[in-house]
């Protein structure tokens, strides 16, 4: 039920997005109508993308964008320059209709523009990553922009908590003394978007030290699910953190807890599962021997004779209904995976201990069109899914309707290479305003934050 992008375009016309997948898309959205497995009618979405005369962001007719912030500009707080490498993001309701937009900066030690160090908000002055917070009014005018946490490293994605804070994730395992760092890295940090000094720069060490990507919190139990985007074999694991003080506000995760990794009996590598709808009952959770990875990275630790379940490029993670969903962006045999795929979405139901492969993205042939390596994801206010593309060629934000139709929402018009060797910055951090009227999204490089408005439906 998969096909190439070019085959899809031949059926639907050049204005349609070119990805295809197989799977029961209704699994993604609780209480919706039956899906069209692998379907693509071209009727979903908002029409063809219109070239942006400013050369920044192509959108469908009737939509418009506002540039909220760009790397190198001055922070409104006067703390320094807007950092580079815009990544994961979350939007939170503020007082008097305002919105707090928390934005990650995935700066490594070589990052071009680091997050400014601020007293009380800095973990390791030698590290350049962290978060900034934008305060917006009801019309997406920027009222303030300041540091949320600094001195962290490679802040990739994360996720919101039920008590309206942001968990920002370090996608690194570097220890003190590596790359000039003064402290160990690979942790999760909590950011209060309304008052960052209330949360400070405290690593949530009990949640593990590994190459974190994203998190999702079960609002009923307070259990936190975590993805690991490991770059080399053995690949990353899918974790859950059981806090000693669940749903206890900003003190919940600091109170400690137990970290466990998912074991799917008989499946050491999720990439080998190719049939959508494949279900695995009796999923097991195995205690992590050393969550701090003092001597050995967690994915290399001894989980007993039954082993543990790995997956390449575990990325986006979100909670929906009574389940947690997570993304494997891609898998390649040449990298060491057991099989090749172009993106998977998995669903885990805690109350059933059941894991289901919901969507498999199909292969692509034209890098100018949208279609592979899904990364950051979010649910839309109207019940669909938005996916940021992180692949080759032109980069897109694309939507997935309840009926299983895929459509382009935005395309990055700026490139950061040369006419001979163009290079497009990936999209990241897609999220919606609390009232659902604005989609916020980042271009990773050159770091740019957009607010997109239009006839959302």
């Amino acid at each position: 039920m998969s096909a190439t992008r070019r085959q899809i375009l031949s059926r639907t016309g050049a204005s349609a997005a070119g990805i295809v997948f197989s799977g029961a898309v209704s699994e993604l959205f609780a209480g919706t109508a039956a899906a069209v497995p692998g379907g693509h009618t071209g009727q979903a979405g908002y029409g063809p993308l219109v070239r942006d005369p400013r050369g920044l962001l192509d959108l469908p007719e009737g939509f418009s964008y506002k540039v909220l912030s760009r790397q190198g500009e001055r922070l409104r707080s006067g703390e320094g320059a807007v950092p580079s490498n815009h990544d994961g993001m979350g939007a939170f309701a503020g007082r008097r209709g305002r919105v707090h937009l928390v934005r990650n900066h995935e700066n490594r030690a070589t990052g071009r523009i680091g997050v400014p160090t601020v007293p009380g908000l800095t973990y390791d002055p030698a590290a350049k990553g962290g978060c900034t917070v934008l305060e917006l009014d009801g019309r997406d005018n920027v009222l303030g922009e300041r540091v949320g946490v600094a001195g962290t490293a490679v802040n990739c994605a994360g996720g919101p908590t039920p008590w309206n804070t942001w968990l920002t994730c370090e996608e690194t395992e570097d220890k003190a003394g590596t790359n000039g760092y003064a402290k160990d890295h690979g942790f999760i940090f909590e950011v209060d978007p309304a008052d960052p000094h209330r949360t400070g720069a405290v690593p949530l060490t009990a949640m593990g030290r590994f190459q974190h990507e994203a998190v999702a919190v079960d609002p009923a139990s307070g259990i936190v699910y975590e993805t690991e985007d490991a770059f080399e074999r053995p690949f990353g694991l899918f974790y859950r953190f059981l806090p000693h003080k669940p749903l206890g506000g900003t003190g919940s995760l600091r109170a400690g807890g137990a970290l466990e990794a998912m074991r799917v009996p008989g499946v050491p590598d999720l990439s080998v599962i190719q049939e959508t709808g494949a279900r695995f009952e009796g999923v097991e959770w195995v205690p992590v021997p050393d969550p701090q990875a003092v001597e050995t990275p967690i994915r290399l630790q001894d989980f007993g004779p039954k082993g543990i379940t790995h997956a390449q490029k575990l990325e986006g993670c979100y909670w929906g209904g009574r389940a947690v969903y997570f993304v494997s962006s891609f898998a390649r045999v040449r990298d060491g995976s057991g099989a090749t795929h172009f993106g998977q979405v998995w669903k885990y139901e805690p109350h059933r201990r059941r894991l289901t492969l919901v969507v498999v993205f199909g292969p692509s042939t034209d890098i100018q069109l949208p279609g592979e390596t899904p990364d950051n994801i979010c649910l839309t206010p109207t019940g669909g899914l938005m996916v940021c593309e992180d692949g080759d060629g032109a980069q897109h934000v694309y939507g997935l309707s309840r009926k299983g139709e895929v459509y382009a929402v935005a395309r990055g018009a700026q490139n950061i290479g040369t006419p001979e060797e163009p290079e497009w910055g990936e999209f990241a951090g897609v999220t919606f305003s609390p009232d659902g009227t604005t989609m916020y999204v980042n271009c990773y490089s050159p770091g740019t934050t957009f607010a997109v408005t239009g006839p959302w439906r």
Side-chain angles (χ1 to χ4, degrees), residues 237-240 260-264 267 270 283-286 303 307-310 314 326 346 348 355:
L237 309 180
F238 186 56
Y239 301 87
R240 72 175 184 181
E260 299 175 332
M262 181 183 72
R263 175 193 288 150
V264 183
V267 184
L270 290 181
V283 168
E284 301 170 358
W285 292 94
V286 185
F303 286 90
I308 203 70
T309 300
H310 296 265
L314 291 180
F326 60 96
W346 290 88
Y348 175 68
L355 183 69

Side-chain angles (χ1 to χ4, degrees), residues 420-438:
E420 294 77 21
E421 296 185 22
E423 181 181 351
W424 285 264
E426 68 178 85
F427 282 110
V430 63
T431 189
F432 279 82
S433 61
D435 66 4
T437 60
T438 303

Side-chain angles (χ1 to χ4, degrees), residues 264-280 309 338-341 343-344 346 355-360:
V264 183
V267 184
D269 182 348
L270 290 181
S271 71
V272 302
I273 309 303
Q274 301 284 323
E275 294 292 330
T276 55
R279 292 182 175 180
F280 301 90
T309 300
T340 294
H341 65 71
Q344 296 173 327
W346 290 88
L355 183 69
T356 305
L357 178 57
V358 179
V359 170
V360 177

Side-chain angles (χ1 to χ4, degrees), residues 32-301:
T32 62
V36 181
H40 192 308
T41 67
Q43 301 303 310
Y46 303 95
L49 301 179
V50 179
R51 291 289 182 184
D52 176 18
R54 297 174 60 188
L56 293 178
L57 192 67
D58 300 339
L59 298 168
E61 186 174 354
F63 285 78
S64 62
Y65 69 84
K66 179 181 291 186
V67 174
L68 301 180
S69 173
R70 303 199 77 180
Q71 71 177 51
E73 297 176 346
R74 302 300 297 176
L75 290 167
R76 299 292 184 95
S77 62
E79 296 164 323
V82 175
S84 53
N85 295 342
H86 296 16
D87 210 299
M89 196 158 55
F92 301 85
R95 301 175 63 182
R96 298 187 296 276
R98 296 182 179 183
V99 174
H100 297 290
L101 196 60
V102 186
R103 178 181 60 200
N104 284 356
H105 297 278
E106 196 185 32
N107 282 320
R108 304 180 185 277
T110 56
R112 182 177 177 185
I113 306 174
V115 177
T117 57
V118 174
L121 295 178
T122 303
Y123 169 64
D124 178 358
K128 295 184 177 182
C131 293
T132 50
V133 182
L134 289 78
E135 184 176 8
L136 313 174
D137 66 13
R139 296 185 177 180
D140 293 317
N141 297 308
V142 180
L143 303 177
E145 188 176 21
R146 58 181 174 174
V147 171
V149 69
T152 56
V154 199
N155 296 67
C156 191
T161 69
W163 47 90
N164 292 320
T165 60
W166 174 251
L167 299 179
T168 181
C169 294
E170 292 187 305
E171 190 185 5
T172 181
E173 295 172 331
D174 286 348
K175 291 186 175 182
T178 304
N179 290 318
Y181 294 139
K183 296 183 178 181
D184 290 350
H185 290 271
F187 298 114
I188 295 174
F189 293 77
E190 188 170 17
V191 178
D192 183 341
D195 182 7
H197 282 278
R198 191 168 74 89
T199 42
V202 180
L204 302 173
T205 56
M207 300 183 74
R209 194 181 73 81
F210 57 87
Q211 292 174 176
H212 287 275
E213 175 72 25
V215 300
V217 184
D218 180 345
S221 69
I223 293 175
V224 185
Y225 294 88
E226 312 174 32
T227 56
E228 179 179 22
D229 186 4
F231 312 133
E232 300 175 347
R233 289 191 65 192
F235 297 116
L237 309 180
F238 186 56
Y239 301 87
R240 72 175 184 181
F241 177 69
L242 289 76
H244 293 324
K245 187 181 178 182
L247 301 173
T250 51
S252 174
L253 304 178
R254 294 191 186 189
L259 184 67
E260 299 175 332
M262 181 183 72
R263 175 193 288 150
V264 183
V267 184
D269 182 348
L270 290 181
S271 71
V272 302
I273 309 303
Q274 301 284 323
E275 294 292 330
T276 55
R279 292 182 175 180
F280 301 90
E281 311 286 348
V283 168
E284 301 170 358
W285 292 94
V286 185
V288 171
D290 175 19
Q292 299 307 304
V294 175
E295 298 292 339
T296 306
I298 293 176
R299 64 187 182 280
L300 288 168
Q301 293 176 18

